[in-house]
């Protein structure tokens, strides 16, 4: 069983780590796109073509399940990928964890990229899942890019700026970009004590496992991890080492 994860950069690592933990026997194909990153500011049609092409590469590489652990890819191209691969290949998207945060917190800040923060997509999610909580968006300018570059100084500066613009008294922060869990420690340090963090990586991984099991196919993988960079065989970018991604992915294997 091969599961392909598609993202512009290192945002796929938290979901990959949870998949590794929940099902260490599943083979993972990590598809990053350094040639096209970041996806957030790109035109919608461009992102759709990029993600669909990555899905085609996944199928040619033997993937039986495709995961989009990226908010931009999910909101822009999820339905296009499903139409491309057909009903026999499960495609799992990513949604920010607004619903679970709003269920237990009276006030919530959604940290996300500037494009996502101003999008109709996020506004609709807040309206649908925010419940009685006071939910606000906070744009984390440059944070995802800094993570992809492995620039810890820039990442800390972006986190500090976002923390300063987060309303006082917020009880929960939703990490609305899949890159952000890679700097959880720095985010926790920048926020007041007691603020709870919510991200979607574990839920996406769990849903992926449920879809794998529903296929009813024997799993014969050995936990192999392969990396494609813009379709080319390679390895994780050296910037990943700044966030101990190798330790995270190897924690259960």
């Amino acid at each position: 069983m091969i599961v392909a994860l598609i993202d512009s950069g290192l945002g796929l690592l938290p979901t990959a780590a949870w998949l590794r933990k929940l099902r260490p026997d599943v083979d993972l194909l990590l598809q990053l796109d350094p040639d096209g990153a970041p996806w957030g500011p790109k035109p919608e049609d461009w992102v759709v073509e990029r993600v669909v092409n990555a899905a085609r590469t996944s199928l040619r590489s033997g993937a039986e399940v495709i995961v989009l652990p990226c908010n931009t890819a999910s909101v822009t191209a999820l339905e296009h990928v499903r139409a491309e691969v057909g009903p026999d290949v499960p495609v799992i998207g990513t949604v920010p964890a607004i619903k679970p945060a709003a269920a237990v917190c009276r006030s919530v800040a959604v940290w996300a990229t500037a494009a996502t923060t101003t999008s109709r997509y996020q506004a609709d999610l807040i309206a649908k899942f925010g419940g009685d909580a006071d939910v606000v968006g906070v744009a984390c300018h440059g944070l995802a890019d800094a993570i992809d570059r492995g620039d810890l100084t820039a990442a800390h500066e972006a986190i500090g700026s976002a923390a300063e613009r987060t309303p006082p008294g917020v009880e929960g922060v939703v990490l609305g970009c899949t890159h952000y869990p890679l700097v959880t420690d720095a985010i926790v340090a920048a926020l007041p004590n007691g603020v709870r963090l919510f991200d979607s990586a574990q839920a996406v991984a769990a849903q992926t496992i449920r879809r794998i099991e529903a296929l009813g196919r024997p799993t014969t993988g050995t936990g192999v991890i392969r990396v494609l960079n813009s379709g080319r065989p390679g390895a994780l970018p050296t910037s990943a080492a700044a966030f101990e991604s190798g330790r995270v992915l190897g924690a259960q294997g």
Side-chain angles (χ1 to χ4, degrees):
M1 175 66 67
I2 299 175
V3 176
L5 296 93
I6 299 171
D7 197 337
S8 62
L10 301 182
L12 49 68
L13 290 179
T15 301
W18 274 107
L19 284 170
R20 180 81 165 178
K21 179 177 181 179
L22 296 172
R23 286 291 299 268
D25 57 320
V26 170
D27 295 339
L28 302 180
L29 175 65
L30 309 184
Q31 288 217 65
L32 295 81
D33 186 22
D35 293 353
W39 286 346
K42 302 293 197 306
E44 183 173 315
D45 290 346
W46 187 96
V47 175
V48 169
E49 181 179 4
R50 206 77 176 181
V51 177
V52 169
N53 281 337
R56 293 178 182 137
T57 300
S58 298
L59 296 183
R60 290 195 297 268
S61 301
E64 297 179 68
V65 178
I66 294 174
V67 183
L68 303 183
C70 170
N71 293 287
T72 296
S74 296
V75 65
T76 306
L78 179 61
E79 297 308 318
H80 295 274
V81 172
R82 286 175 172 162
E84 175 70 23
V85 304
D88 294 333
V89 178
V91 182
I92 297 90
T94 298
V95 175
I98 295 171
K99 184 176 181 178
V104 296
C105 298
R106 292 170 296 180
S107 56
V108 176
V110 183
W111 284 23
T113 64
T116 298
T117 300
T118 59
S119 69
R120 168 54 58 182
Y121 163 67
Q122 179 164 298
D124 289 345
L125 288 175
I126 292 173
K128 184 175 182 180
F129 298 119
D132 295 329
D134 181 17
V135 183
V136 299
V138 176
C140 300
H141 301 285
L143 180 53
D145 291 345
I147 292 170
D148 276 337
R149 297 195 309 270
D151 188 338
L152 293 173
T153 299
H156 280 84
E157 290 175 354
I159 290 167
S161 173
E164 290 175 357
R165 289 179 286 108
T166 297
V170 158
E171 296 180 359
V173 169
V174 173
L175 303 183
C177 172
T178 55
H179 285 65
Y180 299 171
L182 293 168
V183 289
T184 293
D185 290 348
I187 293 173
V188 169
L191 292 169
N193 290 335
V195 176
R196 299 176 61 178
L197 296 189
F198 299 83
D199 77 84
S200 56
Q202 183 178 0
V204 172
Q207 174 65 2
T208 302
I209 298 304
R210 286 191 289 268
R211 297 298 299 274
I212 290 173
E213 293 172 347
L215 291 174
R217 301 171 189 167
T219 302
T220 58
T222 57
V224 171
I225 298 175
R226 290 185 292 151
V227 178
L228 294 179
N229 290 316
S230 298
R232 302 181 299 272
L236 286 174
T238 55
S239 58
F243 305 102
E244 298 183 86
S245 56
R247 178 187 62 79
V248 171
L249 285 172
Q252 300 297 321

